[in-house]
Amino acid sequence: MKNEKELQDAQVLLDSIMNQLEKKPWAIPNLIDDPSKGDYAEVLSNLVYLLTNLSMDPVEAKYLMEETFKTRIRMGECLNRPVDFRVALLDLILQKKEFIKNPKVIEIKLYLEQEKKAMIDYLTGLYNKRYYEETMDREINQAKRYSRSFSIILFDIDNFKLVNDTFGHSLGDEVLKILATILKKNVRKEDTLCRAGGEEFVIILPDTASEGARKVAEKIREAFHEETLNDSKLSLSGGIATYPNDGNNKSELFECADKAMYFSKFSGKNKITVFGEEIRNARA
């Protein structure tokens, strides 16, 4: 599944293609090798996903779109009228049965709404665990490709079971919403917020070292600790892990952040811990 930004970029590209073809119905859009667009094959891969729900590597997607526009011209010449390039795209992918066997036509706006619902936690409005998993795959691939680092912060609300048992699940849900609101106010646009499950939340921070992640986490911890429930202050514990120092895959990184978070719990709660030698030695 593509993330929201990738699908938005693909929609922009689709609009551009449709505008060009409206002005010049028999033309081949001059978008494929536009040097000003950066990694344009990646955007074409997102466009193929938007139109077909098929995941293709950038090179394969670029070739498919080039062939699509050529096929569109040939189909138009046979019919003696312009043909929508999406019709040509469908014809090409149907020729390869491993791609799509029984296609279904759906309005893109409706499709995007359905995609978003599948990625969102209904209670907090944050992304869900499924989206976290897929985003981590992309983030690790990008970090490897461009030799970058990134960090994740794992939060867990302290004594949350006691909150539910004492005040009920409805009030517990309100506490989750309070934390979600605080998280939204304290991250950058490029960061990814997810509810990992229950009272656990995770933030993915691209191009951020552990110290930068710690500052973000402390700011969130302090803001949440200002909130009260029945005259008692709320608190959370957090753990931070950084790629590639603490792990080379999403499982290792989550495990390290989880270990650091539990170190915070066992150290008195209401604390942020960066995964490091102290915790490594404690695991041994």
Side-chain angles (χ1 to χ4, degrees):
M1 181 182 292
K2 302 290 184 178
N3 64 37
E4 192 171 358
K5 176 65 165 55
E6 290 170 329
L7 292 177
Q8 288 173 349
D9 289 344
Q11 181 65 60
V12 171
L13 175 57
L14 176 60
D15 292 342
S16 175
I17 291 173
M18 298 307 293
N19 288 336
Q20 287 197 44
L21 294 179
E22 183 178 358
K23 295 175 182 177
K24 297 181 179 179
W26 292 97
I28 294 180
N30 60 345
L31 300 172
I32 305 301
D33 293 309
D34 186 346
S36 68
K37 298 295 184 179
D39 194 357
Y40 211 72
E42 190 75 43
V43 184
L44 286 173
S45 176
N46 298 337
L47 176 61
V48 170
Y49 183 88
L50 177 67
L51 293 172
T52 68
N53 211 36
L54 294 173
S55 295
M56 290 187 179
D57 66 70
V59 174
E60 187 179 20
K62 183 174 183 291
Y63 175 78
L64 175 63
M65 293 308 298
E66 288 174 339
E67 290 301 306
T68 293
F69 291 122
K70 294 175 184 176
T71 300
R72 171 184 172 272
I73 296 298
R74 292 194 293 268
M75 292 175 72
E77 290 172 347
C78 292
L79 295 171
N80 198 29
R81 62 173 175 82
V83 172
D84 192 301
F85 86 93
R86 291 166 293 192
V87 175
L89 174 61
L90 178 61
D91 180 73
L92 285 173
I93 61 177
L94 282 175
Q95 290 182 42
K96 296 188 176 182
K97 299 299 183 182
E98 69 270 20
F99 284 159
I100 292 180
K101 295 181 179 179
N102 298 297
K104 177 180 179 180
V105 178
I106 183 172
E107 176 62 40
I108 283 183
K109 183 179 179 181
L110 177 60
Y111 163 74
L112 291 176
E113 289 175 354
Q114 292 175 347
E115 282 280 284
K116 188 170 183 179
K117 285 180 181 178
M119 299 183 293
I120 298 296
D121 172 62
Y122 77 95
L123 180 64
T124 62
L126 304 182
Y127 289 115
N128 57 24
K129 183 67 178 294
R130 173 187 172 187
Y131 187 81
Y132 163 78
E133 297 285 348
E134 295 178 355
T135 301
M136 282 293 286
D137 288 334
R138 287 192 296 270
E139 197 62 46
I140 288 173
N141 288 337
Q142 289 290 309
K144 287 180 178 178
R145 183 176 182 182
Y146 298 108
S147 300
R148 295 173 178 169
S149 65
F150 71 92
S151 296
I152 64 171
I153 308 171
L154 179 63
F155 292 113
D156 186 275
I157 299 174
D158 296 329
N159 306 312
F160 188 70
K161 184 178 184 302
L162 182 61
V163 171
N164 279 332
D165 291 346
T166 304
F167 301 103
H169 289 275
S170 294
L171 198 53
D173 287 348
E174 291 304 314
V175 172
L176 295 173
K177 292 177 183 177
I178 288 171
L179 178 53
T181 299
I182 291 172
L183 292 172
K184 292 173 185 177
K185 291 180 179 178
N186 287 281
V187 297
R188 306 166 300 179
K189 183 178 180 181
E190 60 266 33
D191 299 332
T192 301
L193 294 173
C194 303
R195 182 183 177 193
E199 66 271 28
E200 285 190 344
F201 295 78
V202 62
I203 309 176
I204 304 172
L205 302 100
D207 298 311
T208 303
S210 58
E211 181 57 26
R214 187 190 66 78
K215 291 178 180 178
V216 174
E218 285 290 355
K219 190 175 180 181
I220 291 168
R221 182 194 63 78
E222 292 171 1
F224 189 63
H225 197 47
E226 292 177 359
E227 301 291 336
T228 59
L229 181 64
N230 197 29
D231 298 326
S232 297
K233 283 181 173 293
L234 296 171
S235 69
L236 56 74
S237 299
I240 295 168
T242 301
Y243 174 91
N245 296 343
D246 302 323
N248 289 311
N249 59 61
K250 62 183 179 183
S251 297
E252 290 179 356
L253 287 171
F254 192 88
E255 180 185 357
C256 290
D258 191 56
K259 294 286 184 182
M261 184 268 291
Y262 274 104
F263 191 89
S264 296
K265 294 276 190 187
F266 296 136
S267 300
K269 302 179 182 179
N270 191 33
K271 181 180 178 181
I272 303 298
T273 301
V274 177
F275 188 83
E277 288 303 318
E278 184 178 13
I279 302 173
R280 290 184 197 277
N281 294 334
R283 291 197 304 169

